[in-house]
Each structure stands twice: as structure tokens, then as C-alpha cells.
Amino acid sequence: MATQHDLMTKNHPTGSSSKQPISNKERRGSRRCKITQLMRIRPSDPNKDHFEDLRGSVSVSRSGVFFSISEPGYEVGMRLFVTMPYSKDPASMAREYLAEVVRRDVLPTGMFGVGIKILMEMGIQHSYNFGAGNSR
């Protein structure tokens, strides 16, 4: 997509289109930002082996997250509960999402790159604990 600077500095002949060819590989609907954000990831399917994974994101968009892992446990089509940004701080206001693994690539480092698509927000996750005080 052309930036405002590109549009202002290029001379287009009358009647020409400023559209650029669309790559067949690019399927993202929104831009990605290289943000490292801690996430808590769990499988949403009770029939799958339970795990709880804490990962940092590599890049984030409005509808997806890409991160790297060393274990081959994530499969395309797998549904996950993702809490982000994850923190053990009692005052944190992390949100939990239902997501689906849409991509799993072998990276040159020998690790795996996993792309997930956010399907829906489950709600705000509160991590506060009032302790085991007496109930009234």
C-alpha cells in the first residue's frame, strides 16, 4: 500500500491506477507490529492433553499473533485460550481470547513459528486473590 509520502512524490499519468500488485502470499487483513507481549496459552479442547504455556509474541495484529516455540505440540486447526497481556500482577486487566492455530512453520533456527487467529474475546481475566479469610 502506498504511503502518503509515496503518493505525494510520484507523478502518475492521467488515467493510471496507483494500485500495486497484490501478493498471493499475503493474506493478512491488518498490519503486524513487532511487539513482545507475554501470553498464557492453554488448549480449549478438554479432550487434548492439558498444557499451560507462557510465551512472548513476535508480532501482533488486530486479529492475530505470531510467536515461536521449540516444542512441536501446536497443530493447525487447534483451538486455544490465550490470555494477553499476561501478568501475575493482582491489578492486571488481561483479556482472554479464543484463538485458532492457522499457521505452523519450521524456522531456520530449528524452532517452530506459530500463527494464531483471534476468534473472539472471552472476557477480562482478574488475577486477584482475596485469601482464605472467614466468610460472613
Side-chain angles (χ1 to χ4, degrees):
M1 177 176 271
T3 65
Q4 184 177 7
H5 176 73
D6 291 338
L7 293 173
M8 291 173 61
T9 57
K10 290 184 180 176
N11 292 327
H12 298 289
T14 307
S16 74
S17 173
S18 63
K19 291 184 181 179
Q20 296 178 353
I22 298 172
S23 169
N24 290 337
K25 289 185 176 185
E26 184 62 48
R27 299 185 328 210
R28 295 183 189 115
S30 58
R31 284 187 163 171
R32 290 205 173 262
C33 298
K34 292 186 183 220
I35 297 173
T36 302
Q37 197 172 55
L38 187 61
M39 306 177 293
R40 176 179 170 228
I41 305 167
R42 305 174 290 130
S44 69
D45 185 350
N47 295 325
K48 296 274 186 189
D49 290 337
H50 179 76
F51 65 84
E52 189 170 312
D53 202 1
L54 294 178
R55 293 281 164 198
S57 62
V58 173
S59 64
V60 179
S61 72
R62 287 182 185 224
S63 61
V65 179
F66 185 79
F67 57 97
S68 59
I69 58 168
S70 56
E71 306 84 22
Y74 291 86
E75 303 166 0
V76 173
M78 182 181 210
R79 296 270 175 119
L80 305 166
F81 289 128
V82 180
T83 304
M84 65 182 187
Y86 180 73
S87 171
K88 289 188 176 182
D89 182 358
S92 71
M93 297 287 284
R95 297 185 181 273
E96 186 167 55
Y97 301 91
L98 177 64
E100 181 178 352
V101 176
V102 294
R103 183 175 180 174
R104 186 175 164 274
D105 301 329
V106 179
L107 300 176
T109 60
M111 296 181 71
F112 298 93
V114 176
I116 59 174
K117 179 180 180 181
I118 304 295
L119 302 174
M120 66 182 287
E121 183 177 326
M122 303 299 290
I124 295 175
Q125 297 298 305
H126 300 284
S127 59
Y128 50 74
N129 183 2
F130 293 114
N134 296 336
S135 60
R136 296 182 186 196

